[in-house]
Amino acid sequence: DGGITQSPKYLFRKEGQNVTLSCEQNLNHDAMYWYRQDPGQGLRLIYYSQIVNDFQKGDIAEGYSVSREKKESFPLTVTSAQKNPTAFYLCASSMGWGARANIQYFGAGTRLSVL
Amino acid sequence: DQQVKQNSPSLSVQEGRISILNCDYTNSMFDYFLWYKKYPAEGPTFLISISSIKDKNEDGRFTVFLNKSAKHLSLHIVPSQPGDSAVYFCAVLTSGTYKYIFGTGTRLKVLA
């Protein structure tokens, strides 16, 4: 079954700790994205990557970092510099080209809470 | 400043009737528009999309209408079913970029 797998489903962070959220896709998509959702708000773009070894900041990149060493994987690290990390994090991917390039497919999300 | 607005946070509709969800945007550079459906604690799933060269796109019970002059997008669900109860997000994009902008969502409740 093709899709996007996010892990873990729930994650707790202690003060001053960095945590990494995993995102893996087997859809052979070029582009991958990380969003954050807060209650009553839409999805806000943290980072996106159009191609392996390349990524760009989204609207709320401060306190986050990413890497894209493999096409299938786009992990997100929430650093200690992110002062309000409690949120629902969503990873997505899209083809990046072709007729259905603009459709994003999402993982099931990771809920991050601060202890 | 919100570039994409869904002004109705919630909507209740009787089963079998029409559900109409609305979305307004501010930037005429956006040329691709999508609707997603989201259940609690899950990721959004793609429903239907439309490009700016069209004013209507239909897929089964779902129809999206685009009014470019008014910068307004709507999703019609006919007939509404209890399984349609979810949060619906509109998203906009300028083709060739990768920066999607999402609305804040409308929670639809279809009453049996």
Side-chain angles (χ1 to χ4, degrees):
Chain A
D1 262 348
I4 300 177
T5 302
Q6 288 188 242
S7 62
K9 197 168 174 67
Y10 300 96
L11 186 58
F12 297 91
R13 193 191 91 166
K14 293 180 184 175
E15 291 285 342
Q17 188 182 37
N18 292 355
V19 292
T20 297
L21 286 62
S22 169
C23 178
E24 303 277 329
Q25 55 101 356
N26 60 3
L27 299 167
N28 199 31
H29 285 173
D30 287 309
M32 295 187 75
Y33 313 79
W34 273 105
Y35 292 91
R36 168 181 171 140
Q37 187 188 16
D38 294 283
Q41 296 197 32
L43 281 63
R44 292 185 291 165
L45 183 65
I46 305 173
Y47 268 98
Y48 65 100
S49 167
Q50 297 169 246
I51 193 171
V52 174
N53 291 322
D54 184 56
F55 48 83
Q56 282 80 40
K57 292 181 180 179
D59 299 316
I60 54 165
E62 187 173 345
Y64 300 97
S65 66
V66 293
S67 62
R68 186 89 188 274
E69 297 174 3
K70 297 188 298 181
K71 188 175 186 178
E72 304 78 21
S73 179
F74 192 41
L76 173 75
T77 296
V78 184
T79 74
S80 56
Q82 172 49 246
K83 296 307 177 191
N84 184 23
T86 297
F88 189 54
Y89 291 85
L90 286 159
C91 179
S93 70
S94 67
M95 287 180 69
W97 57 272
R100 295 180 71 77
N102 292 328
I103 298 171
Q104 288 183 313
Y105 297 86
F106 285 83
T110 293
R111 185 163 297 282
L112 175 63
S113 302
V114 176
L115 288 175
Chain B
D1 191 25
Q2 279 185 290
Q3 297 189 65
V4 181
K5 289 184 185 176
Q6 292 178 255
N7 290 317
S8 298
S10 63
L11 175 69
S12 289
V13 170
Q14 283 296 131
E15 182 179 6
R17 306 296 290 268
I18 184 171
S19 296
I20 300 176
L21 297 98
N22 295 304
C23 179
D24 295 296
Y25 60 96
T26 57
N27 191 335
S28 57
M29 293 295 292
F30 299 137
D31 60 0
Y32 202 81
F33 307 88
L34 308 97
W35 283 97
Y36 286 86
K37 175 179 177 178
K38 185 181 180 302
Y39 294 115
E42 292 184 12
T45 53
F46 170 73
L47 261 182
I48 193 168
S49 62
I50 189 168
S51 73
S52 58
I53 61 173
K54 294 185 171 183
D55 53 21
K56 177 183 173 182
N57 188 25
E58 208 168 339
D59 184 1
R61 296 187 296 115
F62 302 92
T63 303
V64 56
F65 294 92
L66 177 62
N67 182 335
K68 289 187 289 293
S69 60
K71 296 190 183 68
H72 179 80
L73 182 69
S74 63
L75 174 68
H76 292 207
I77 306 173
V78 182
S80 302
Q81 298 173 354
D84 296 330
S85 298
V87 177
Y88 289 78
F89 290 96
C90 64
V92 302
L93 178 69
T94 302
S95 292
T97 73
Y98 289 79
K99 294 191 73 175
Y100 296 75
I101 301 175
F102 284 79
T104 52
T106 296
R107 184 178 301 279
L108 173 66
K109 191 179 231 181
V110 180
L111 307 167

